Structure formats: structure tokens, C-alpha cells
Amino acid sequence: MKIRTRSNITLIAIAAALQCTPAIAAQANTHSNTSDSRRTPDRQEPTGSPQYQIYDIGVVHVGDTASQGFGVSPAGIAVGRSFQDNGTQAFTWTLQGGLVGLPNLAGRSYCVSNSANDNGIVVGTGATTSFGAGRLPVIWQNGVVSQLPLPAGETLGDANSVNASNVATGSVDAGSNQRGVIYSGGSATIITQTAANGSFFLTAFGINDSGRIVGQGIDPGNAARNVGIVYDIGQNMAFEVGALPGMNGALAFAVSNTGFVVGSSMLNQGSGLPFIWSDNGGMVAIPLASGTSEGSARAVNSAGWVVGDDSSAFSIPFLYDGTTTYRLADLIPPNSGWDLSMNTSSSALGISEDGVIVGTGVHNGETHAYAMVPVAPTPTPTPTPSVTPTATPTATPRITPRPRPTPRLRPTPR
């Protein structure tokens, strides 16, 4: 799997694939660089096999063609976007309140909500085209939309994650000038701290309540190598999470409030394997779902439960509970109408502290955002057996990274 995070290529493919009809939302009531795949991080042990009820988040307006789910707050506020004929509209969704459309930023008809905190603050990105032209960082407070400030001299930016203190992260600029950024207190600050070898933040994908930021970095000595980079605001320290055996780099997509970091580790720009990293345990490989050869972990909660996407011919959303990797398709009721295993559009991109999973699937032929809510484990699902990932996967990727209108161009070596 060559992971092109939120690239124009990904967005073009998604736009071509989303040919759906409308639906209405269903409602119902300090640090280590050690990489050792034999270690087990200090996570909470599972208490039983998980089982879920799945809800169709739907679309914002009748006539919208599709929707995608991009994440969920610790307490269960889901976020994403709904596709219209000439734009996209951001939304939030809760189990109790259902789907709520968020207003687009003036002059930006392609908006997406990427993250929410439990204070009701939502952040995302607005653009003028589906390919991410003119992208700006956006915040919604009490349903009112505004642009987040940009550093002096900058005209482009995005917001990818927000924590309980209303501090958000993302990036500014593009191409070789793109840099990770922190939005806080009415200002934006570029992350200038580098890792020991000089690697710097290209973009920040996640932030936790303690101010730990994770993202994609660039190694100035080897621009072909991805860098899974971490920055702790309080300690003003940046470092790499390392790589799995046989790999030389990683992408870090999310961080929990207990410090778990998840992402994908790969050799240069090659196929990736999902991992979970902790201060005490270092980097640990997450077993791949059966029938897949590559993957990426995209979200993690405080207990160390992880969701993401494995792939081979199709995209396979998964849940890892610290012991077993489950296909999400095995954890939902039979005959639900949901296809989470036989298409290239499915994903799992968020998990709440209570285990609510948010992503995208195909429901009765329509590409829609979903929310999977835990229920009592009766009957106990039979998971598809997991396989241990190897260091050299061979399949061509079909995984769909978390899509946003954000260009991602690698800088030339310095």
C-alpha cells in the first residue's frame, strides 16, 4: 500500500466512485524510539468479543449523492461530509440527536469536518474545488463557521484535529513549503521543533488532551522516507516513532489521551503495515485481517483499541482490541444491508472512548457514513482469523486513506 495521505489522486478516485442516491440518517435512542514487534504495549485487556449495531448516518440533504465519516470525539460526536452536486457540506452526528449539517465557509463550497471535541468545537477544511484548491482551516462553534487564523504570509491551510482545550492542529502552505501548524488562542504557530536527525513536521494529523501531536514528517537526509513524527508541546520535544522490522519509516495518524500512537510503517514509499506505539512498549505490529496483505491504523482510544483499514483487492475496515484483529463486517448483524468487505470505499477512521466506530461503507448500494455502537456480545461473533504481517507485503494497495481536500507533494531533497 503506497499511502498518499489525502492527495489529489485519492480525491479524484473518490469523486469518481461516489455515484449514489440519497438516504435519510438513521437515528437511535517520556519517550522511546525502540521498534520491537514482540512487545505488547501497556493497554487494557479486552473483556470479551465485541459486537456492534450499525447506524446509517445518511446525507445532509435529500438529493445529496453520498457521505463519508472521518472521525468521532471521545464521547461520540461523529464528523464527516455529505456530497452534493457542486460541493460538499460538513456535518456532525450523535446517537441521540442524529445528523446536523454545518454551514460552509463563505467562498468555500467544498467543506469537511475532520474532528470534534466534547465541547462541541468542530474543525475541518474548506476549499473551492473537490481537489482542494484554495484550502482554508475552518472551525465551527455553536454551529457558526469561521476561518481559523493563518500565520503571517500564509494563504493556505487545513485543520485536522482538535483536543479538549480547543487547540487544533493541521498544516499550512503546500508542496515543499508545507509545514505542521498549531491553532490556539486566536493564532497559528508553525511547528519548528525537529527530531534528533533534523526531521520536521510536514503536517499534523492528531492531537490529544495532553498536547501530544502526531503526523507526517520529512527527513532532510532522505526525502523518500516517511517519518512518523511526534511533538510534545509541554516538553517542546519532537521525536520519531521508528519503524517495524524490515521498514525504514512510518506515518503517524492518531494519538489517544493515554499516549498510544497508531499509523502505518513502510519501506520508503512502499506498502504499509499497521502499528501501535507507546512510550513503554515502542512500536508493535498490529496483526492483519485475514485475506489482506497491507494496512493502516487510523484511530485509537485510551484503552488501546484501534481501528483502520487493511486491504488486498478490497478495503477491509478492522478493529484491533489488543489481542485480535476483527473485520468490522464480522461484528455487525447479518442481513444489515451493509457491505464493509467487498468494495474499495469502506473505511474505519474513528473510535470513541466507549468504542463507537465511525467510517464509510456501502449500504444497500449507497456510499454512506456509518456509526457502529457497541452492544452486549450476544451472540458472540466469529472473527475472521488474523495473520501476522510480514515485512515485505506484495499486494497493490486499494486502501482509502482519510480523504480531505489537501494537496500532498513531497519536497525535493535538500
Side-chain angles (χ1 to χ4, degrees):
M1 171 187 59
K2 291 185 179 179
I3 301 181
R4 297 187 177 111
T5 57
R6 309 176 192 141
S7 64
N8 293 346
I9 296 174
T10 299
L11 287 164
I12 294 170
I14 291 171
L18 296 176
Q19 302 296 326
C20 309
T21 53
I24 302 300
Q27 296 186 17
N29 21 25
T30 269
H31 129 89
S32 168
N33 287 339
T34 305
S35 301
D36 187 345
S37 61
R38 295 169 299 176
R39 296 182 181 177
T40 300
D42 47 340
R43 66 170 58 81
Q44 175 179 309
E45 291 299 321
T47 57
S49 299
Q51 176 137 28
Y52 284 82
Q53 179 63 50
I54 186 168
Y55 296 92
D56 186 354
I57 289 178
V59 294
V60 173
H61 299 291
V62 173
D64 287 2
T65 55
S67 62
Q68 292 174 307
F70 287 157
V72 62
S73 76
I77 302 172
V79 294
R81 65 178 170 184
S82 184
F83 284 78
Q84 302 160 354
D85 288 338
N86 296 301
T88 60
Q89 185 172 354
F91 65 75
T92 62
W93 179 94
T94 61
L95 187 61
Q96 294 76 23
L99 184 66
V100 177
L102 300 175
N104 280 5
L105 187 69
R108 298 294 186 274
S109 56
Y110 292 85
C111 285
V112 53
S113 50
N114 292 324
S115 176
N117 64 20
D118 294 332
N119 303 324
I121 301 296
V122 182
V123 300
T125 304
T128 57
T129 70
S130 60
F131 310 113
R135 76 189 200 281
L136 292 173
V138 175
I139 185 170
W140 290 269
Q141 301 179 79
N142 299 317
V144 178
V145 64
S146 60
Q147 180 192 326
L148 285 164
L150 290 169
E154 300 291 350
T155 59
L156 298 174
D158 49 54
N160 298 326
S161 183
V162 62
N163 70 8
S165 299
N166 303 335
V167 178
T169 58
S171 71
V172 295
D173 219 316
S176 61
N177 295 319
Q178 187 172 3
R179 294 293 184 273
V181 70
I182 300 170
Y183 304 99
S184 178
S187 64
T189 305
I190 293 174
I191 303 173
T192 58
Q193 184 66 33
T194 64
N197 69 341
S199 294
F200 58 88
F201 263 87
L202 181 71
T203 187
F205 291 132
I207 182 172
N208 70 7
D209 291 348
S210 299
R212 171 166 283 185
I213 298 171
V214 301
Q216 178 183 4
I218 293 294
D219 180 351
N222 181 5
R225 184 176 76 90
N226 285 317
V227 176
I229 193 165
V230 179
Y231 173 60
D232 284 326
I233 294 176
Q235 301 179 52
N236 193 31
M237 176 185 67
F239 59 92
E240 293 189 36
V241 294
L244 291 173
M247 308 302 189
N248 68 355
L251 295 171
F253 287 120
V255 57
S256 75
N257 283 332
T258 49
F260 291 115
V261 178
V262 296
S264 185
S265 180
M266 68 287 296
L267 179 64
N268 293 328
Q269 304 299 303
S271 302
L273 296 172
F275 72 82
I276 181 169
W277 178 98
S278 68
D279 288 290
N280 294 334
M283 184 180 284
V284 178
I286 294 175
L288 289 169
S290 177
T292 64
S293 57
E294 56 199 284
S296 178
R298 304 308 299 265
V300 58
N301 65 15
S302 292
W305 286 42
V306 181
V307 295
D309 308 311
D310 289 340
S311 66
S312 53
F314 302 111
S315 178
I316 307 297
F318 71 82
L319 168 68
Y320 174 64
D321 64 4
T323 301
T324 304
T325 299
Y326 301 89
R327 290 174 176 241
L328 293 192
D330 293 337
L331 305 181
I332 59 177
N335 304 317
S336 66
W338 282 95
D339 172 12
L340 299 180
S341 61
M342 297 295 290
N343 63 79
T344 59
S345 300
S346 293
S347 65
L349 300 179
I351 183 168
S352 74
E353 298 291 55
D354 292 334
V356 175
I357 300 170
V358 170
T360 303
V362 177
H363 186 220
N364 295 327
E366 300 173 335
T367 301
H368 278 191
Y370 67 78
M372 288 175 53
V373 179
V375 296
T378 304
T380 301
T382 301
T384 303
S386 301
V387 295
T388 301
T390 62
T392 55
T394 57
T396 300
R398 293 294 183 89
I399 190 169
T400 303
R402 182 177 186 176
R404 298 188 190 120
T406 306
R408 290 288 181 266
L409 300 177
R410 295 195 63 84
T412 57
R414 299 183 179 180

